Amino acid sequence: MANNRLLIVGASGFLGHALCDVSCDDWERTPASRSGQKGHLVVDLTQPTLVHEVVAQVRPRWVINSAAMTSVDGCERNPALARAIHVDGTRNLVQACERVGCGLVNLSTNYVFDGEKGRYAEGDEAHPVNVYGQTKLESEVILLNALCPGIVVRTAVLYGFHPSCRPNFVTWAISSLAGREAIRVVIDEWANPTFVDELAAFIFKLCGTDFRGVVHFGGADFLTRFEMVERICAVMGLDFSLVSSITSAEFGQLAQRPLRAGLTTALARTLCDIVPASFEHNLRQLKGVFHKIVNTYV
Ligand SMILES: NC(=O)c1ccc[n+]([C@@H]2O[C@H](COP(=O)([O-])OP(=O)(O)OC[C@H]3O[C@@H](n4cnc5c(N)ncnc54)[C@H](OP(=O)(O)O)[C@@H]3O)[C@@H](O)[C@H]2O)c1
């Protein structure tokens, strides 16, 4: 491949770390983050000049944008900031990619759906119920109408372990229960939890295809948060009696959540010949770093 460079934007985040760390021989990766930590190039999506300079400096084949405002309630509290990062930030990246002549892979979410129907395919109608989902959907439209090659990868409930990242749902449950803390977990919110390393490997394969458009990538199992914790306890040997169930209405989070918002992954399998492992299989992998998870978060 003549140009095998990838620019990873949001490299300080959870997926960003996986995109930098997961083994991959096909691509030369340049990380960029807002803080410029660990020798990263500095990029703030809300600064168009900076965005253009970094893309022009690297001249990648693809920019992979994993930067986002991932606090769903935070987006609800500060919609202007969510819009600046998701909508204006994507527009800034698109314009830079168009000028430099490279493609953009933008990460999106199952939260573009309202969660009324259950597992969603790429062609299903999006109808977000919160600011996070609405601004991510607007970012999708900008990329799909761009002149540069564009791929939208929607995913759901990322899990895995990276010690310098804040806990995700799975590592939060493990560390809380290992510390003998009682937790309340919603029983009526379904999704397919997605192993972050599998998502990174999928994105690398996808960048080597001619595919353009929207594709879903999620884990193999469609589970409620409560069922996820049930499996976590079984695999990790944690005390399930510390877990109580609650409905999302009782939980009362600021932003409404889509309840049945899993993703179908048939297209991803066809495109890249990747079959996501089961949730339990990946939990068994994570069991190997159980003590590191506990030492990091308890
Ligand atoms: N996590 C999930 O369960 C989940 C589910 C579905 C979809 N997704 C999508 O997957 C992608 C990756 O999520 P993640 O969990 O890896 O997110 P994350 O860990 O919260 O990381 C987000 C990153 O975005 C960066 N960022 C925020 N504002 C920025 C800006 N203005 N300019 C540049 N960087 C900025 C943050 O940088 P700082 O370190 O400087 O704050 C952080 O590194 C996102 O698009 C998210 O919407 C995630």
Side-chain angles (χ1 to χ4, degrees):
M1 206 184 303
N3 177 353
N4 71 340
R5 291 185 299 281
L6 299 179
L7 174 62
I8 314 290
V9 173
S12 57
F14 186 41
L15 175 60
H17 273 97
L19 287 166
C20 294
D21 293 350
V22 163
S23 104
C24 169
D25 295 331
D26 294 340
W27 298 102
E28 181 190 319
R29 294 165 276 184
T30 302
S33 60
R34 191 156 51 167
S35 62
Q37 59 174 248
K38 301 178 188 164
H40 295 170
L41 298 178
V42 176
V43 72
D44 182 330
L45 288 185
T46 63
Q47 306 291 323
T49 307
L50 194 53
V51 170
H52 181 253
E53 281 171 2
V54 170
V55 177
Q57 181 185 340
V58 178
R59 304 197 78 79
R61 187 179 177 97
W62 291 97
V63 175
I64 302 177
N65 177 26
S66 65
M69 184 168 169
T70 49
S71 163
V72 176
D73 290 335
C75 290
E76 211 71 12
R77 268 189 296 272
N78 194 341
L81 184 58
R83 185 164 295 282
I85 295 171
H86 299 154
V87 183
D88 302 337
T90 298
R91 190 178 295 109
N92 293 337
L93 272 175
V94 160
Q95 286 170 355
C97 291
E98 287 175 344
R99 282 159 76 181
V100 170
C102 62
L104 175 60
V105 179
N106 225 22
L107 270 295
S108 191
T109 167
N110 58 332
Y111 277 27
V112 298
F113 297 110
D114 59 19
E116 297 287 326
K117 173 182 164 283
R119 277 191 172 208
Y120 290 92
E122 288 81 358
D124 287 326
E125 194 183 342
H127 181 233
V129 295
N130 56 41
V131 171
Y132 173 71
Q134 175 63 34
T135 52
K136 294 294 275 188
L137 180 60
E138 288 176 38
S139 77
E140 294 186 0
V141 173
I142 290 170
L143 179 53
L144 296 173
N145 287 313
L147 299 176
C148 62
I151 302 179
V152 172
V153 178
R154 293 186 186 135
T155 190
V157 191
L158 297 183
Y159 70 96
F161 174 58
H162 198 288
S164 55
C165 294
R166 63 190 161 75
N168 50 73
F169 181 74
V170 168
T171 53
W172 164 77
I174 292 172
S175 55
S176 304
L177 296 170
R180 303 286 311 153
E181 195 186 315
I183 60 172
R184 296 181 311 158
V185 180
V186 288
I187 199 161
D188 54 357
E189 202 182 300
W190 282 260
N192 34 343
T194 307
F195 195 43
V196 72
D197 292 6
E198 286 186 328
L199 174 60
F202 168 72
I203 292 170
F204 295 142
K205 277 205 166 187
L206 192 60
C207 287
T209 71
D210 294 330
F211 178 76
R212 309 287 181 262
V214 180
V215 59
H216 291 175
F217 187 84
D221 300 285
F222 187 50
L223 303 168
T224 66
R225 298 272 177 165
F226 192 76
E227 288 167 335
M228 291 177 209
V229 174
E230 207 170 15
R231 283 163 171 73
I232 290 167
C233 287
V235 172
M236 303 288 167
L238 292 163
D239 183 356
F240 191 56
S241 70
L242 292 168
V243 184
S244 54
S245 63
I246 186 167
T247 64
S248 55
E250 287 165 340
F251 203 44
Q253 289 165 299
L254 179 64
Q256 186 186 338
R257 265 61 173 177
L259 293 185
R260 300 179 73 92
L263 301 170
T264 63
T265 55
L267 176 61
R269 291 173 193 219
T270 309
L271 287 171
C272 293
D273 196 24
I274 285 190
V275 180
S278 71
F279 187 51
E280 288 183 37
H281 172 90
N282 287 329
L283 288 177
R284 283 196 292 276
Q285 306 272 59
L286 279 181
K287 195 173 182 186
V289 290
F290 177 85
H291 293 293
K292 283 189 187 165
I293 294 172
V294 172
N295 290 336
T296 303
Y297 299 122
V298 172

